[in-house]
Amino acid sequence: MIWNRKKAGPASAAVLSLGLLLAGCADQGGDPGKERKKSASSSKPHGYVAGAEEAAEQQSRLVLADSESGTLKILDLIEGKTKPLGRTAKGAELVTDGRFAYANSRSGSKVFDSGAWMVDHGDHIHYYRAKAHGLGTVRGKKTEHVYSSPWLTAFTFTDGTARLVDHARLEKGRISSTATLDEVDRGPVVPFKENALVPVAGPGGDSVVEVRDRKGRKKTSLDAECPELRGAAVTRTGVVFGCADGALFVTEKQGKPRAEKIPFGRKVPDKERPDSFRSRSLGTTLTARAGDKGVWVLNVAERDWKLIETGPAAAVNSAGEGTPLLVLDDSGTLKGYEISDGKEIASKRILSGSSSAKNTSRAVIEVDANRAYVNDVAAKKVYEIDYNDDLRKARSFSLDFAPSEMVETGR
């Protein structure tokens, strides 16, 4: 979601109060009090949180967990320091929406505010930092997916139910449900602006996506079907669902949800189908593993799928246009590929010599506008990679626990 291309530097000392922030975003000569009222009712939330500070640069943080011990800590990439954040259930998996980290387990999701986020106003971006803390738990029978919009957060469980939570209240430190959904078909419920996209079983057995309001009431069904719906991604321009025949891309046209198919253009075996997507936060270049064959790259803006035959991949990601496809193979080697032609342009052994299949299977690649981050479970380290400089290892962070789960926030 960060669209500036400047190189990252030390954290700026310039920190503004929220009062100045609100005044700065008001119309020239306007009344800040009126602006606050306008912001509260605006279709584009401002991001105000009492006690937060605005910074001049992106405030990236890594939320790290040891799924064996339940240790949960946060690594501030500006300060270079690690602090305790709480504990997770054993075996919990971390996901994020760019600000909140969700520790998904058999009993639901523990919600943690990382204290780092951004608000994009189109022509300018605000970066915030605040104290990280836990908020509580959203209960359910094993959380499978969590996705957010500025208005809603949706938790989908393996028993075919989902809960919608008010995201604005989440930003204020309160977990407040707006609806519980039943009979959710295969795949996740994904917020889309103030509504939710809900996969349900269609007449022919294929998934049909319904548009529900924040109370769970049906508003309409999208025209295009999505056979064997599997996985989803939230991009800057809309929501993508993975289908057996390609992708279902949901956007808005004249104020109404609109669905279109992005076909593979050929028959794809089930074992080579994407089942989850990785990208820069809200990025429109999506990556996914294609079984043992390689990596899929979906350029949402161009409505184009590309298969890059890299061989088996342990982790993949890309920051998007003008940056390489990043692939971590089973040996712990990180490789960079030119997305346009699939040519390998860089290769560097990243994970420690003691790496094993178990170690690489827990590795992830997080990306932002300037850097990538790779967790080394065996070495108890996280590496910061400059992907625009032949995969140079810019920094290494030593930890006192095994970072088997990692997500980046503040993006």
Side-chain angles (χ1 to χ4, degrees):
M1 190 172 176
I2 313 297
W3 292 98
N4 58 327
R5 290 286 182 179
K6 67 179 182 179
K7 290 289 183 180
S12 171
V15 177
L16 306 177
S17 71
L18 262 292
L20 287 174
L21 168 63
L22 290 171
C25 283
D27 293 335
Q28 294 296 322
D31 182 344
K34 292 181 180 178
E35 179 63 23
R36 279 193 292 271
K37 293 179 182 178
K38 178 182 177 182
S39 176
S41 61
S42 171
S43 62
K44 196 172 188 68
H46 193 285
Y48 172 83
V49 173
E53 297 176 328
E54 186 184 6
E57 298 179 322
Q58 178 180 323
Q59 301 297 295
S60 295
R61 294 175 176 178
L62 296 177
V63 181
L64 305 161
D66 181 346
S67 59
E68 294 296 323
S69 68
T71 298
L72 183 71
K73 295 189 178 184
I74 192 160
L75 171 60
D76 191 313
L77 294 169
I78 302 297
E79 299 176 348
K81 297 179 180 179
T82 305
K83 298 178 182 178
L85 182 55
R87 297 194 65 80
T88 70
K90 184 176 180 180
E93 298 178 348
L94 289 181
V95 296
T96 187
D97 55 17
R99 171 176 176 176
F100 296 94
Y102 305 95
N104 298 336
S105 68
R106 294 183 177 279
S107 58
S109 295
K110 280 191 173 183
V111 184
F112 297 89
D113 187 341
S114 72
W117 69 97
M118 56 171 285
V119 176
D120 186 353
H121 285 275
D123 60 341
H124 66 284
I125 298 174
H126 294 280
Y127 304 100
Y128 299 85
R129 61 184 294 120
K131 184 178 179 180
H133 60 283
L135 272 67
T137 303
V138 176
R139 301 290 179 185
K141 292 186 177 180
K142 192 175 183 182
T143 309
E144 191 169 23
H145 306 283
V146 184
Y147 291 93
S148 294
S149 74
W151 295 268
L152 291 172
T153 297
F155 298 80
T156 308
F157 307 104
T158 55
D159 64 352
T161 64
R163 283 181 65 184
L164 302 181
V165 169
D166 189 312
H167 193 80
R169 292 189 178 183
L170 206 62
E171 291 176 342
K172 296 179 180 179
R174 301 194 302 273
I175 297 175
S176 178
S177 295
T178 67
T180 298
L181 310 178
D182 297 317
E183 299 181 359
V184 177
D185 198 26
R186 299 174 296 269
V189 173
V190 183
F192 181 65
K193 297 186 181 293
E194 298 181 66
N195 299 309
L197 303 176
V198 183
V200 298
D206 290 335
S207 297
V208 174
V209 178
E210 293 183 348
V211 181
R212 307 274 188 95
D213 66 16
R214 61 189 291 110
K215 296 295 185 181
R217 296 170 296 207
K218 180 181 175 180
K219 298 178 71 173
T220 187
S221 292
L222 300 178
D223 293 336
E225 293 186 345
C226 185
E228 301 175 27
L229 189 150
R230 186 190 299 173
V234 178
T235 77
R236 188 181 180 90
T237 53
V239 173
V240 172
F241 290 99
C243 313
D245 54 359
L248 180 68
F249 184 37
V250 184
T251 56
E252 187 177 68
K253 186 176 183 178
Q254 297 179 341
K256 296 181 179 180
R258 172 179 176 270
E260 61 178 297
K261 297 299 288 288
I262 307 177
F264 287 124
R266 60 174 175 169
K267 187 173 180 59
V268 175
D270 184 71
K271 63 181 180 180
E272 294 177 9
R273 273 191 57 201
D275 55 13
S276 63
F277 299 95
R278 300 281 297 168
S279 69
R280 178 182 171 184
S281 180
L282 298 184
T284 55
T285 299
L286 307 182
T287 64
R289 290 183 292 183
D292 291 336
K293 195 164 189 176
V295 176
W296 286 107
V297 179
L298 172 58
N299 184 325
V300 176
E302 299 295 332
R303 312 295 198 268
D304 176 63
W305 287 95
K306 188 181 297 294
L307 177 62
I308 298 180
E309 297 188 13
T310 65
V316 301
N317 215 328
S318 176
E321 184 179 358
T323 68
L325 168 67
L326 302 176
V327 179
L328 184 73
D329 69 18
D330 291 337
S331 72
T333 299
L334 184 65
K335 296 181 179 181
Y337 292 84
E338 191 70 57
I339 293 178
S340 61
D341 59 11
K343 180 181 178 181
E344 183 180 318
I345 55 177
S347 178
K348 184 166 293 187
R349 180 67 179 264
I350 295 294
L351 300 189
S352 62
S354 59
S355 294
S356 63
K358 182 178 180 181
N359 188 28
T360 55
S361 70
R362 303 310 299 268
V364 297
I365 303 171
E366 290 286 321
V367 294
D368 57 34
N370 300 294
R371 296 288 190 266
Y373 298 91
V374 181
N375 56 323
D376 190 332
V377 180
K380 297 183 178 180
K381 291 182 178 181
V382 171
Y383 307 118
E384 180 182 79
I385 308 298
D386 186 345
Y387 52 74
N388 286 317
D389 188 14
D390 293 327
L391 307 180
R392 177 177 61 87
K393 191 181 292 184
R395 288 190 291 177
S396 178
F397 301 96
S398 296
L399 308 168
D400 59 0
F401 64 100
S404 53
E405 295 288 324
M406 179 180 74
V407 294
E408 184 181 0
T409 64
R411 304 176 296 169

